Amino acid sequence: MKKYKRFLLGLFFILIVSGIVFLIFQGKNTTLDIHSAFVQDLYCNISPNKNAYILKQFYDSNGISNDYKINIGILNIVHKNDPGILDALDVEQGVKELLGEDATITHETIQFFINDHCGYTYEATDKKYIPFDGCGGIPDEYIYQKLLSAQKVGDKIILQEQILDIFKDLNSNEVFVYNNVEHEKLIDTIQEYEGIVTEIDDSKYIDAGSVYEYIFRKEKDHYVLESLKKVG
């Protein structure tokens, strides 16, 4: 009988502890409003450039490209105040504010940066980025992004989004709708389309797009991107 009572007390104790732990972890998981300024700032700061040439370097399965890092570093500066010519150290700091103190870049000239400029020439002697114009021909391509959800889990923020890659062949005027930038699946082909791809009804196809997950971690007094991966 005593062993049975001790067993019941032990089981009761385990259930109580398990319940407390469950409540603690539940309390740390919070659904966030995807339209809130906090979530939108996180999302748009790391994915601010809607040019398909640039965004493809963000979703690359080999990791975020050096070109893309420089782009978001520059945008992090010019969104606050566009001084024109930029110091390389300021660009580095702009990258670290978004990707963390351990983030590194190799300074180089970048093209197809969209901020009233077509690119920035890197001057190694002066360690400066100098804006230039004259983009040349840019394919009619569009990465459609839809933010699905946002959660706070412990000290991390997790965002999920769905994307499409919509590409127009300028020779045939055919438009191809793909589930992601790697063109794993062709969703639809639109024949002889005369408009621009940004005018296509994205909502018609978005449910077939790939799902990506962003994980942000707390670093000092702000959040930085820890990882991006395709989850669906």
Side-chain angles (χ1 to χ4, degrees):
M1 180 63 76
K2 289 183 178 180
K3 288 183 179 180
Y4 181 69
K5 286 182 177 179
R6 283 199 296 266
F7 171 76
L8 289 178
L9 287 172
L11 180 60
F12 179 73
F13 177 76
I14 291 171
L15 290 174
I16 291 294
V17 171
S18 299
I20 292 172
V21 171
F22 175 78
L23 289 173
I24 289 172
F25 278 93
Q26 281 293 99
K28 289 186 176 182
N29 295 358
T30 306
T31 299
L32 303 176
D33 180 3
I34 62 173
H35 302 294
S36 67
F38 171 71
V39 171
Q40 287 296 315
D41 282 348
L42 275 182
Y43 186 48
C44 294
N45 284 343
I46 206 67
S47 180
N49 197 320
K50 302 307 178 186
N51 181 278
Y53 173 85
I54 298 299
L55 277 178
K56 280 189 167 187
Q57 301 176 51
F58 180 54
Y59 294 103
D60 193 317
S61 58
N62 295 317
I64 302 174
S65 74
N66 187 68
D67 195 322
Y68 192 87
K69 292 177 184 178
I70 295 173
N71 266 277
I72 61 175
I74 289 177
L75 279 169
N76 194 24
I77 297 170
V78 300
H79 279 174
K80 301 169 186 174
N81 176 37
D82 189 352
I85 296 175
L86 307 172
D87 289 330
L89 287 177
D90 290 338
V91 175
E92 287 181 20
Q93 186 56 37
V95 173
K96 290 179 183 295
E97 286 179 3
L98 298 173
L99 299 180
E101 289 297 322
D102 294 336
T104 60
I105 59 172
T106 300
H107 292 290
E108 61 180 337
T109 294
I110 61 170
Q111 293 183 328
F112 299 117
F113 173 98
I114 307 300
N115 180 52
D116 297 327
H117 304 299
C118 289
Y120 278 79
T121 299
Y122 177 62
E123 294 288 350
T125 302
D126 298 326
K127 296 184 178 179
K128 302 284 187 182
Y129 279 89
I130 303 170
F132 65 84
D133 298 320
C135 296
I138 300 177
D140 191 6
E141 188 171 6
Y142 175 51
I143 309 300
Y144 177 68
Q145 300 165 293
K146 180 182 179 181
L147 186 58
L148 301 176
S149 65
Q151 266 200 325
K152 186 176 187 299
V153 181
D155 62 348
K156 297 187 178 183
I157 303 294
I158 299 176
L159 307 184
Q160 282 201 346
E161 70 167 1
Q162 205 157 19
I163 73 165
L164 298 170
D165 185 349
I166 305 175
F167 174 78
K168 183 177 182 181
D169 184 330
L170 299 180
N171 294 317
S172 65
N173 281 343
E174 285 183 307
V175 173
F176 304 97
V177 182
Y178 293 97
N179 64 326
N180 56 45
V181 300
E182 296 174 332
H183 296 180
E184 290 180 328
K185 179 181 178 183
L186 178 63
I187 299 171
D188 195 12
T189 301
I190 306 171
Q191 303 290 339
E192 298 181 2
Y193 184 77
E194 296 297 332
I196 58 176
V197 294
T198 53
E199 295 174 342
I200 289 174
D201 183 8
D202 311 302
S203 61
K204 179 179 177 181
Y205 304 105
I206 189 58
D207 288 344
S210 291
V211 177
Y212 287 80
E213 184 174 85
Y214 299 62
I215 298 180
F216 296 85
R217 72 171 187 274
K218 190 78 174 286
E219 186 172 280
K220 296 181 179 178
D221 60 347
H222 66 288
Y223 286 89
V224 299
L225 182 67
E226 178 177 277
S227 66
L228 170 73
K229 62 181 180 180
K230 185 162 71 73
V231 296

